[in-house]
């Protein structure tokens, strides 16, 4: 039976906790958050797990099977670094966006390798049976993936779709193709940056295009294959299969909506069964993070956001 720790008990941290209490392999759950108000109205019910709440990371010195780091991106680097000074962990599951500075990626990658920690990034669409089935059936036919909509959090969520594109097409490297900055918009989280923009990437002659526009429209993901177009509307939990004339041939329901409370439980089960969560490993993910950061720096070069943005 394993001990795990969740660092950061905001909305995402709570969803991770809900996943952990479902898992029979977990015996004890440590939760670290310096903000005591995160615990005030939360009811720790219906669990036979032992729960330990810690408000000061410096006071913790334990050996863990799994560490889930769900802090915000501004604090993730320093929190992880401080945690690893006194604590031992076999696995780490990082939330995205990992970090906002390039040297943080390099230092953390080196530190994790030195400590022989198996680290992964929670781009959790890889765990969805719907996307796995699409990859298995259509992966070698995919020519283009288009993510479009309005206010789908371009800055924060692009890395999810970059990762999904790499997963579906079995690609490892990606380069920036083109970009168009529309405008900065208000973010759901204070101090973080959000925008309307367009950006496209190429990998092995396959194209990923990300579009977030100011005009209201349904957020959807479209996969263009040789003989089929697949349109996924996650908010409506549907998948449309169309012919090349864009006539709907079949509509099915999403079998597994992308909920952290479900996918984290699955990731932990995968660790026990396969010795890995079937998520992207840290070293591979930082390559995609760096490409995206470089693309943003290029796009923002002549704007007020030049060297002046933070991704949550």
């Amino acid at each position: 039976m394993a001990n795990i720790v969740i660092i950061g008990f905001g909305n995402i941290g709570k969803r991770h906790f809900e996943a952990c209490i479902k898992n029979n392999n977990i015996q004890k759950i440590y939760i670290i958050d310096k903000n005591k108000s995160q615990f005030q109205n939360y009811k720790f019910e219906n669990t036979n797990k032992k729960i330990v709440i810690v408000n000061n990371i410096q006071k913790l010195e334990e050996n863990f099977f799994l560490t889930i780091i769900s802090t915000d991106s501004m604090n993730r680097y320093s929190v992880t670094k401080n945690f690893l000074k006194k604590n031992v962990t076999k696995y780490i599951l990082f939330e995205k966006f990992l970090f906002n500075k390039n040297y943080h990626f390099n230092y953390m990658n080196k530190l994790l390798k030195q400590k022989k920690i198996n680290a992964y990034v929670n781009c959790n669409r890889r765990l969805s049976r719907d996307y796995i089935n699409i990859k298995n059936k259509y992966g070698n036919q995919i020519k283009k993936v288009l993510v479009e909509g309005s206010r789908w959090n371009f800055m924060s969520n692009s890395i999810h779709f970059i990762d999904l594109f790499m997963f579906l097409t079995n690609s490892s490297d990606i380069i920036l193709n083109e970009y168009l900055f529309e405008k900065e918009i208000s973010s759901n989280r204070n101090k973080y940056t959000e925008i309307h923009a367009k950006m496209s990437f190429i990998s092995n002659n396959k194209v990923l295009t990300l579009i977030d526009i100011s005009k209201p429209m349904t957020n959807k993901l479209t996969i263009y294959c040789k003989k089929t177009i697949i349109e996924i509307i996650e908010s409506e939990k549907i998948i449309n299969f169309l012919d090349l004339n864009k006539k709907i041939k079949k509509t099915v329901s999403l079998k597994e909506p992308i909920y952290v409370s479900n996918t984290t439980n699955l990731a932990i089960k995968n660790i026990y069964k396969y010795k890995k969560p079937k998520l992207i490993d840290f070293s591979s993910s930082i390559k995609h993070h760096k490409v995206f950061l470089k693309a943003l720096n290029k796009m923002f070069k002549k704007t007020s956001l030049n060297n002046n943005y933070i991704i949550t």
Side-chain angles (χ1 to χ4, degrees), residues 62 104 160 240 272:
E62 294 288 342
H104 287 173
H160 267 305
N240 294 320
Y272 273 93

Side-chain angles (χ1 to χ4, degrees), residues 21-79:
I21 62 176
K22 298 176 186 175
N23 194 286
N24 294 328
N25 294 305
I26 295 171
Q27 180 180 27
K28 193 174 183 180
I29 303 171
Y30 289 76
I31 304 171
I32 304 175
D33 201 304
K34 64 182 180 181
N35 186 356
K36 295 180 181 180
S37 66
Q38 294 287 7
F39 304 101
Q40 285 177 356
N41 298 315
Y42 192 83
K43 296 179 180 179
F44 294 92
E45 297 177 342
N46 303 321
T47 177
N48 58 356
K49 318 291 185 190
K50 185 173 181 180
I51 310 299
V52 180
I53 294 174
V54 180
N55 296 121
N56 187 346
I57 200 169
Q58 304 291 345
K59 294 181 179 180
L60 192 65
E61 191 169 351
E62 294 288 342
N63 193 321
F64 295 101
F65 176 73
L66 170 66
T67 298
I68 298 173
I69 301 181
S70 55
T71 65
D72 59 52
S73 63
M74 282 195 292
N75 295 304
R76 188 167 294 123
Y77 171 77
S78 59
V79 164

Side-chain angles (χ1 to χ4, degrees), residues 172-234:
S172 56
D173 296 313
I174 192 168
I175 60 171
L176 176 66
N177 180 38
E178 61 180 3
Y179 58 86
L180 178 66
F181 175 58
E182 184 179 337
K183 65 178 179 179
E184 182 179 7
I185 58 176
S186 60
S187 172
N188 294 330
R189 300 185 67 183
N190 189 31
K191 296 182 181 179
Y192 289 94
T193 309
E194 203 44 77
I195 61 173
H196 290 312
K198 174 183 177 181
M199 196 174 279
S200 71
F201 300 87
I202 296 176
S203 180
N204 297 329
N205 295 319
K206 298 168 185 178
V207 179
L208 167 67
T209 302
L210 307 169
I211 302 174
D212 190 306
I213 61 174
S214 53
K215 181 181 178 180
M217 68 173 292
T218 301
N219 299 331
K220 63 181 179 180
L221 185 150
T222 307
I223 302 169
Y224 294 86
C225 307
K226 290 179 181 177
K227 296 182 180 180
T228 304
I229 299 172
I230 305 167
E231 183 182 78
I232 302 163
I233 306 175
E234 292 183 352

Side-chain angles (χ1 to χ4, degrees), residues 253-264:
S253 298
L254 276 170
K255 294 183 177 68
E256 289 181 338
I258 313 300
Y259 298 143
V260 170
S261 54
N262 291 331
T263 55
T264 299

